[in-house]
Amino acid sequence: MAQYRYKALNKKNRVVKGVVGAVNEADLYTQLQSAGLELVQCSEIKKSGGITIMRAPSVKTRDLLTLFINLEQMQGAGVPLLDALSDIRDATDNDRLRDILSETYRSVSEGASMSEGFAAQPKVFSNIVVSLIKAGEETGDLTFSYREILKYLKWQDALQSKMKKATRYPIILLAVVVLTVVIMLGVVVPQIIGFISNLGQELPFYTKALMATSEFFQNYGVYVGIAPFALFALYKILRGVSREFAYRADRVFLSLPIMGPLIRKITIARYAQTFAALYASGISVLGCLKSGRNTVGNLALYEAFENVEEQVKTGSSLSEAFNFTGEFPSMVVRMVRIGEESGNLTPVLAQVSEFYSKDVEESVDGMIAMIEPMLTAFLGGMILWIAASVFGPIYSSFGEMDF
């Protein structure tokens, strides 16, 4: 199925642009007509090396929250699924989401399930969302699935918002520090160096160090600025071509003093939240383990979760499998064991997720509280070094003058 970029007019004669999949232009016209849009112009998006040239606008978590809130309300009101998809599609402001809902509407109208339609958009609808909807279709209780999805998306959105809010000020402060260093070493210090050199006296070591640093920055500043981006690009390439490199790099990240525990806590919180939502919907333990594993980005922990699945397949309990890997804190193993023995695994895992979510927030706040004074001290030290290197020789020259 080809992807088409289109330009259309809605019922208010306003221009609407987007990207949608269609068999041909006639199919595209039919889809837009059903969505209440009048096709004005369209063109097929060409592909180069299997990669689409145009990049469609993203669908954010807030857009998905709005989608599933509407689906839950319409399901509770007894609105048929096709009518619900059509109404939400016409009301959404996100062009990309509207196009996805158009494709989903067509798939469902042709006999596919909604989970199959959403599964065709893996970049927008995660595996947990598709799994929960599929479970709701099998049990006939889509309302419960929508509620679990909303609970998961709200948790995810809250965690992302906290992380962004916590890191916003340190990023701004870091940018100020970098900009100050660039201006001082690249503009201010070179203008003063000539004057200091003409004083005709032995310069202190810290002034010589400043002059050497400024000269190095003038000669190789461009390379210093490019180096971080080049190293990051090299890291991404190596990570993509070598699984062993990716595993070792992730293992190093886990062993870092502050970042390592934070990565582990975020991963466990996301995994527990996913497992609890899926298990509450009636999905098997192995299905929950597989879906939860797909939310893990760290390869070292990913393989640990794979080992958990293998242990459960051989007959081990979930707590025993977690304990066997050696990657999970004893508190998690203990709480899972309690959940298994009491038959209340879902609330226990929800408590684990809530505990680690709060722990992540506290850890991030603590890390930010440490980074801020460090950056401030670095900036103050840099300014003090420049001031001492400049005014020190000048003050010494005054003492050697004969009045």
Side-chain angles (χ1 to χ4, degrees), residues 5-235:
R5 177 173 51 190
Y6 69 85
K7 180 180 179 181
L9 295 176
N10 61 15
K11 296 178 181 179
K12 297 181 180 179
N13 287 328
R14 294 178 181 175
V15 176
V16 177
K17 298 179 180 179
V19 178
V20 70
V23 178
N24 49 40
E25 292 188 7
D27 183 33
L28 172 65
Y29 177 81
T30 303
Q31 290 188 53
L32 294 179
Q33 283 286 315
S34 65
L37 300 175
E38 188 67 33
L39 179 63
V40 176
Q41 182 181 358
C42 69
S43 61
E44 184 178 351
I45 299 175
K46 303 297 181 181
K47 296 185 178 181
S48 176
I51 301 176
T52 303
I53 295 176
M54 179 183 173
R55 184 176 179 181
S58 61
V59 178
K60 299 180 180 179
T61 304
R62 298 291 174 89
D63 298 321
L64 294 179
L65 279 169
T66 303
L67 167 63
F68 286 105
I69 287 173
N70 291 331
L71 282 173
E72 182 199 7
Q73 291 175 344
M74 291 187 179
Q75 180 72 20
V79 178
L81 179 58
L82 284 175
D83 292 341
L85 289 173
S86 176
D87 292 343
I88 297 171
R89 175 197 61 193
D90 297 340
T92 184
D93 295 326
N94 187 293
D95 294 339
R96 176 59 180 155
L97 183 58
R98 184 184 60 250
D99 296 335
I100 290 173
L101 291 177
S102 295
E103 295 184 25
T104 304
Y105 177 89
R106 185 186 61 178
S107 299
V108 174
S109 63
E110 292 175 352
S113 64
M114 186 168 62
S115 60
E116 292 173 339
F118 283 170
Q121 306 290 339
K123 293 184 178 180
V124 177
F125 300 104
S126 62
N127 184 61
I128 179 176
V129 171
V130 175
S131 298
L132 285 170
I133 292 177
K134 186 176 182 180
E137 291 170 340
E138 293 175 353
T139 60
D141 191 1
L142 275 172
T143 302
F144 180 79
S145 295
Y146 292 149
R147 289 171 183 169
E148 289 298 320
I149 292 172
L150 286 171
K151 187 187 301 181
Y152 176 80
L153 290 176
K154 288 177 181 178
W155 172 84
Q156 188 179 48
D157 183 63
L159 183 62
Q160 292 174 351
S161 299
K162 290 174 183 176
M163 295 289 289
K164 290 179 181 179
K165 184 178 180 181
T167 56
R168 186 179 297 122
Y169 177 70
I171 291 175
I172 295 174
L173 184 58
L174 178 62
V176 170
V177 170
V178 172
L179 182 62
T180 302
V181 171
V182 169
I183 293 176
M184 296 297 283
L185 295 180
V187 180
V188 178
V189 173
Q191 295 178 355
I192 303 175
I193 285 178
F195 172 75
I196 296 177
S197 301
N198 294 329
L199 291 177
Q201 60 176 330
E202 181 66 21
L203 298 177
F205 72 92
Y206 48 84
T207 302
K208 293 180 179 179
L210 178 65
M211 294 171 66
T213 303
S214 178
E215 184 178 356
F216 174 84
F217 191 85
Q218 286 182 291
N219 295 333
Y220 304 102
V222 176
Y223 302 104
V224 172
I226 295 176
F229 299 99
L231 290 174
F232 180 75
L234 178 62
Y235 165 77

Side-chain angles (χ1 to χ4, degrees), residues 264-276:
R264 192 182 299 273
K265 291 172 184 177
I266 293 175
T267 301
I268 292 176
R270 184 182 294 117
Y271 183 88
Q273 184 71 25
T274 303
F275 193 107

